[in-house]
Amino acid sequence: MDKTLTKGCEDFINDAKLDALAALPQPDPQKVRDIIAKSKSLKPLAVEETATLLAVESPELQEEIFETARELKRKVYGNRIVLFAPLYVGNHCTNDCAYCGFRKSLRSAVRHTLSNDELVKEVEALESLGHKRLILVFGEHPLYSPEFMADCVRQTYAVKKGKGEIRRVNINAAPLDIEGYKTMKAAGIGTYQIFQETYHHETYKKVHPPLSHKADFMWRLDGLSRAFEGGCDDMGVGALFGLYNWKFEVLGLVEHSLYLQRKYGVGPHTISFPRIKSANGLNDFDTSHFVSDAEYKRLVAILRLSVPYTGMIMTARETAELRREVLAFGVSQIDAGSRIEIGGYNKQGEQELNREQFKIGDSRPLDEVIKELVDNGYIPSFCTACYRKGRTGQHFMEFAIPGFINRLCTPNALTTLAEYLEDYAAPETKKAGLALLQKELEKIEDPKVREAAGDRISKIQHSDLRDLYF
Ligand code: SAM
Ligand code: SF4
């Protein structure tokens, strides 16, 4: 591995500055309302402005922030929710991250890497449920070289089960060198996701013991910059909430987004905000920075206001109940029907924590999640069109380009939903889904777009034609 950092790489996280911003006193209500107004005009917020929103304690102003997040979601970002599933390929790991059920020193962890046949079976199982988008997840280990991971990606795309296929493979794995990212890009990956875990240097050091690869804060912080330079222009940032002050981590995420935007003219494609969940060997973990549900809601809403052009991912680490509520604050992607044991999609039964990274909060099957989304007026989407049409990086913003949603996103969401309803849905889900399809189709204002979308849906319903995207 070439351990060179990108040219001009800088440590853009100033702990003292962010600590001070995370401790601002209650702000003047007018200042808060001015910032809210700015976010409504879809301008990214500065770190200082985000800090002002984080300092809001008054329930009334907090409700205004929540309402703005809901409003941005409803009016600007539409009612689509993109669905995906994680596919854990291997949990061997040379790192010893204090919070993780895969860490090296945990002797009770059962380790396994999917063989090629097992990978095929996992992908077939996921396709049989209706999934089209996966994220492959790996520990950090010499076994998981860029070439190995790229082979897994190619194999995943090659599996076709019935009418099923995987159309987008994202990655969550260790940071690579530029050559490594080129190898991954050549295999056709979508987003490369790296969570910084914590942006606070001292905490980072505490939870990532020296001598492990992951102990190198700058190597990780620069990881997505190298990804960009290696040709992966869909980058996913994230922080693991619960390691340090949650307000600091939100500011770190915003700093990171602004840095990528400044340096490459492209912000992150997605932001993830997982919270630490119980895991094998985590009994004595320091919980002093754990984030309550109330704080979690605030952080999601504030992120929505701060980074208007970035997709937001909320995973099944959270419970169904919380996901239902937080979805309205501008989340754009969720996983559903997730199994995180290696080989879990071909296994029945409860989670066995010594084989998994953490405990998941929402273990409902995909169809149940889709039915609930439909019942609540969301369009479940398996759309993968932008990345396949080359609408990535700076040409692509998941939301909010005027006309883009109506012309492309909604029709693509509807055609992929139509596929799901024809090929995989339970009868009740199909019934509710078809009613939603009709309603949403009628809402498309441009008659040409409405007709084209209706035509494709009809082809899907009356023939074997699939994958008809705009
Ligand atoms: N090994 C790669 C790495 O560390 O970058 C892949 C990441 S890991 C398999 C995916 C993410 O899960 C980590 O980046 C971390 O944020 C999160 N994670 C680890 N332990 C967790 C826990 N106990 N609860 C919730 N999330 C956890
Ligand atoms: Fe390994 Fe990733 Fe877990 Fe750390 S978070 S122990 S690097 S799998």
Side-chain angles (χ1 to χ4, degrees):
M1 175 113 49
D2 173 6
K3 289 290 252 183
T4 316
L5 299 179
T6 55
K7 200 160 161 239
C9 156
E10 54 177 291
D11 186 351
F12 50 86
I13 298 295
N14 178 334
D15 286 8
K17 172 184 153 191
L18 297 194
D19 267 330
L21 285 173
L24 290 182
Q26 281 262 40
D28 166 36
Q30 190 50 48
K31 193 170 169 196
V32 174
R33 293 195 171 109
D34 290 347
I35 296 170
I36 290 178
K38 178 175 174 186
S39 72
K40 283 186 188 182
S41 68
L42 291 175
K43 293 205 182 76
L45 298 184
V47 178
E48 291 73 13
E49 291 167 328
T50 306
T52 301
L53 297 185
L54 289 166
V56 168
E57 290 299 333
S58 115
E60 192 192 339
L61 280 176
Q62 274 179 17
E63 189 44 46
E64 286 180 36
I65 293 173
F66 290 144
E67 192 41 43
T68 307
R70 287 190 206 102
E71 188 184 317
L72 291 175
K73 165 82 183 153
R74 262 194 320 265
K75 288 201 191 139
V76 188
Y77 308 123
N79 56 345
R80 294 158 299 113
I81 297 288
V82 169
L83 290 156
F84 70 96
L87 173 48
Y88 277 68
V89 180
N91 65 349
H92 286 275
C93 197
T94 54
N95 293 323
D96 216 15
C97 312
Y99 43 82
C100 178
F102 291 163
R103 68 182 184 273
K104 181 183 168 186
S105 61
L106 209 56
R107 299 274 169 248
S108 57
V110 180
R111 314 260 171 199
H112 186 60
T113 303
L114 294 177
S115 67
N116 195 63
D117 284 355
E118 287 169 334
L119 176 66
V120 170
K121 286 209 179 72
E122 288 290 275
V123 178
E124 284 179 347
L126 284 154
E127 288 179 359
S128 304
L129 296 169
H131 278 291
K132 300 282 187 277
R133 305 169 58 108
L134 302 184
I135 181 156
L136 302 190
V137 186
F138 301 83
E140 180 164 10
H141 194 275
L143 282 172
Y144 312 140
S145 64
E147 290 72 23
F148 173 81
M149 294 195 289
D151 281 344
C152 292
V153 172
R154 280 187 284 268
Q155 180 62 78
T156 300
Y157 282 128
V159 175
K160 312 278 176 196
K161 172 91 173 163
K163 293 200 180 77
E165 61 180 352
I166 299 303
R167 298 174 185 158
R168 180 172 172 125
V169 178
N170 299 327
I171 298 289
N172 185 315
L176 306 175
D177 61 14
I178 293 180
E179 281 308 308
Y181 288 114
K182 286 185 183 162
T183 304
M184 298 307 291
K185 184 64 188 174
I189 63 162
T191 309
Y192 202 100
Q193 221 180 50
I194 301 173
F195 302 160
Q196 186 62 26
E197 318 298 9
T198 172
Y199 285 93
H200 185 250
H201 292 75
E202 203 182 304
T203 306
Y204 190 92
K205 221 177 184 173
K206 209 167 77 195
V207 295
H208 303 115
L211 302 181
S212 64
H213 279 292
K214 201 153 163 179
D216 189 341
F217 182 92
M218 276 315 292
W219 177 250
R220 199 165 179 89
L221 195 65
D222 189 51
L224 289 171
S225 302
R226 293 193 301 281
F228 186 86
E229 296 195 4
C232 305
D233 56 2
D234 271 6
M235 302 159 288
V237 298
L240 181 59
F241 281 86
L243 296 173
Y244 187 60
N245 180 352
W246 63 274
K247 295 184 180 179
F248 185 104
E249 306 296 11
V250 169
L251 298 172
L253 286 167
V254 172
E255 284 281 30
H256 201 165
S257 305
L258 293 171
Y259 175 80
L260 290 171
Q261 181 72 45
R262 265 197 320 271
K263 190 165 177 188
Y264 298 111
V266 186
H269 183 67
T270 55
I271 289 199
S272 300
F273 30 88
R275 283 193 292 184
I276 297 181
K277 297 293 161 184
S278 52
N280 185 24
L282 229 66
N283 306 339
D284 301 330
F285 199 81
D286 172 9
T287 59
S288 54
H289 291 297
F290 274 24
V291 176
S292 69
D293 286 357
E295 290 162 340
Y296 185 73
K297 287 177 209 168
R298 286 170 64 190
L299 79 86
V300 179
I302 291 171
L303 277 171
R304 178 66 298 154
L305 269 57
S306 295
V307 284
Y309 292 119
T310 306
M312 303 220 321
I313 303 180
M314 177 171 50
T315 69
R317 287 175 181 81
E318 303 304 336
T319 61
E321 197 186 11
L322 189 73
R323 295 221 287 177
R324 208 168 287 138
E325 189 179 349
V326 174
L327 213 52
F329 297 159
V331 168
S332 57
Q333 295 189 29
I334 60 171
D335 55 333
S338 300
R339 310 277 308 193
I340 59 170
E341 179 179 336
I342 321 290
Y345 294 105
N346 280 284
K347 239 188 106 183
Q348 303 295 324
E350 298 288 301
Q351 279 196 277
E352 291 179 67
L353 279 191
N354 59 339
R355 294 172 179 272
E356 318 206 12
Q357 196 184 20
F358 52 81
K359 190 158 172 39
I360 50 184
D362 182 357
S363 53
R364 292 172 301 160
L366 174 64
D367 195 72
E368 200 177 319
V369 174
I370 292 197
K371 170 79 166 50
E372 182 183 283
L373 288 173
V374 167
D375 287 346
N376 292 337
Y378 291 107
I379 313 174
S381 171
F382 293 93
C383 178
T384 54
C386 278
Y387 134 84
R388 291 154 81 214
K389 286 272 194 188
R391 297 191 293 254
T392 64
Q394 73 195 106
H395 309 295
F396 172 86
M397 291 168 183
E398 189 158 345
F399 314 106
I401 297 172
F404 191 85
I405 295 173
N406 284 338
R407 230 170 1 94
L408 299 167
C409 301
T410 301
N412 282 331
L414 295 179
T415 51
T416 57
L417 175 61
E419 289 182 340
Y420 177 82
L421 298 176
E422 281 311 304
D423 300 336
Y424 307 102
E428 282 302 304
T429 309
K430 184 167 179 176
K431 194 169 150 207
L434 288 175
L436 179 86
L437 266 188
Q438 196 49 42
K439 207 170 96 196
E440 291 292 333
L441 205 51
E442 282 162 17
K443 280 205 275 187
I444 299 179
E445 282 168 18
D446 183 330
K448 276 200 199 124
V449 176
R450 190 169 58 237
E451 196 182 317
D455 180 52
R456 283 169 202 224
I457 290 171
S458 172
K459 284 198 178 97
I460 289 164
Q461 291 171 334
H462 300 107
S463 79
D464 284 344
L465 282 174
R466 294 291 178 272
D467 202 16
L468 306 173
Y469 55 93
F470 295 86

